[in-house]
Amino acid sequence: MQTRFSSNFSPSWRPLSALLACGAALMSMASSVHAQAGAPLPRCEISENAFYLMRYTAPGTGGDRSFVALDKVALGTATAIAPVDTALWANQNPSTVAAGMGNDGYIYAIRAANEDAYDQPRTGGGAHDYRNDHRSLEVIRYGTAGAQNLGEMVDGPGVPAGTARGYDLQGLSNFNAAAVNPATGELIAGNVRGRYINGASGLERLLRINVTTSPPQLVGVITLSPAVPGSTTGDIAIDSAGAYAYGIARQGSNSTWWRADLATGAVTTLSLGTSHPSYGGAALLPDGNFAFFSNGGLVTTFDASGTQLSQAAMTGG
């Protein structure tokens, strides 16, 4: 998700992931508190038709780290949206660009190990170097207080040995897309990075990750057939039944609405033509529709068939 906001947000920000609507019926609030992440995020009123949005800023010079910020966006009615963005917290690390709202009220995200710890002073002065391992796929938990690194994903039961470290992002620290399946609680993650995780034809697989174990476990791989076309897929959103993942892929100026059956991997597509921008984030809304984010801070809502319902620019933030 390399798209940058260019109007309502500072151009140094990039959209991360639109997260599962915070008023979704299947989301239960946990009473536990995790030291670094803090308490679970609060529910939103269903009437807000709202979701959480994460935003990323790249590291500066001299070895500075990257950071992530969390906002809440309220849309109102999906067929006539008026998006209002409210900042919640900022300057948290570890940072990533693919995340989803868990059933326990925490956000769960995935990335390759990047900027994890100081290793040694830089030669010639300045800041420190960091650990980077693009086969080490980590899960991060976010709550009211910020970020908590849950550690590197490992092979779960029934997964062939070495699978969890078998996907090499080759110098790229972040995934394109992720969402939590509300039916199973699993983090579902995908990435279009050519041969590094997929073949040359597009998005070919989604990873199923159990975020409740310590460390998190890769419990399955969903092979998509046919592969989702396009050079970018942006983010994904999963319906409340946990049956399908939805996204909008892009190749050149052409956009394609796609749906993947999470049980079989079967993919169906619908051409959206050339009138849509590149979308970088997605969320399931409490009313059962979907919100997608694009350049310029635009929010566009769709129903499950891929029919556009409304589009408007965010305010606030």
Side-chain angles (χ1 to χ4, degrees), residues 38-303:
L41 292 159
R43 277 181 176 270
C44 301
E45 295 295 332
I46 293 178
S47 61
E48 293 179 296
N49 219 21
F51 52 82
Y52 288 109
L53 170 68
M54 299 181 73
R55 302 191 292 173
Y56 172 91
T57 186
T61 59
D64 293 342
R65 306 178 91 172
S66 59
F67 294 99
V68 66
L70 181 68
D71 296 0
K72 186 185 81 171
V73 180
L75 297 183
T77 304
T79 55
I81 60 174
V84 178
D85 180 24
T86 303
L88 300 179
W89 49 245
N91 299 325
Q92 293 295 316
N93 185 281
S95 56
T96 180
V97 294
M101 176 61 76
N103 294 337
D104 59 359
Y106 288 99
I107 295 167
Y108 292 90
I110 186 170
R111 65 165 200 168
N114 187 46
E115 308 165 339
D116 268 14
Y118 293 109
D119 290 330
Q120 58 187 4
R122 285 182 181 272
T123 57
H128 294 81
D129 290 325
Y130 299 99
R131 171 179 176 264
N132 296 280
D133 181 351
H134 297 105
R135 287 184 181 272
S136 175
L137 305 183
E138 299 177 329
V139 174
I140 314 300
R141 175 194 285 129
Y142 299 95
T144 56
Q148 178 183 10
N149 193 334
L150 300 183
E152 179 180 346
M153 178 182 73
V154 299
D155 298 323
V159 173
T163 303
R165 286 187 61 87
Y167 304 108
D168 188 350
L169 270 67
Q170 296 273 327
L172 299 167
S173 61
N174 288 304
F175 276 64
N176 292 91
V180 171
N181 186 329
T184 65
E186 295 173 349
L187 180 64
I188 307 297
N191 194 358
V192 175
R193 301 297 192 198
R195 67 184 183 279
Y196 306 142
I197 286 185
N198 298 284
S201 58
L203 180 65
E204 294 181 347
R205 56 183 60 86
L206 297 172
L207 309 183
R208 294 173 43 223
I209 304 161
N210 184 347
V211 299
T212 67
T213 59
S214 182
Q217 294 180 344
L218 177 67
V219 295
V221 178
I222 303 169
T223 301
L224 303 181
S225 180
V228 175
S231 57
T232 61
T233 60
D235 197 18
I236 59 173
I238 297 174
D239 64 13
S240 61
Y244 297 101
Y246 296 83
I248 298 177
R250 188 173 175 87
Q251 181 68 52
S253 61
N254 294 300
S255 297
T256 301
W257 175 267
W258 61 272
R259 185 188 78 175
D261 187 318
L262 295 177
T264 66
V267 172
T268 56
T269 61
L270 171 69
S271 175
L272 297 180
T274 59
S275 62
H276 287 273
S278 179
Y279 293 103
L284 170 69
L285 296 173
D287 64 8
N289 294 303
F290 300 92
F292 284 78
F293 304 87
S294 63
N295 259 345
L298 288 175
V299 181
T300 309
T301 53
F302 296 84
D303 66 17

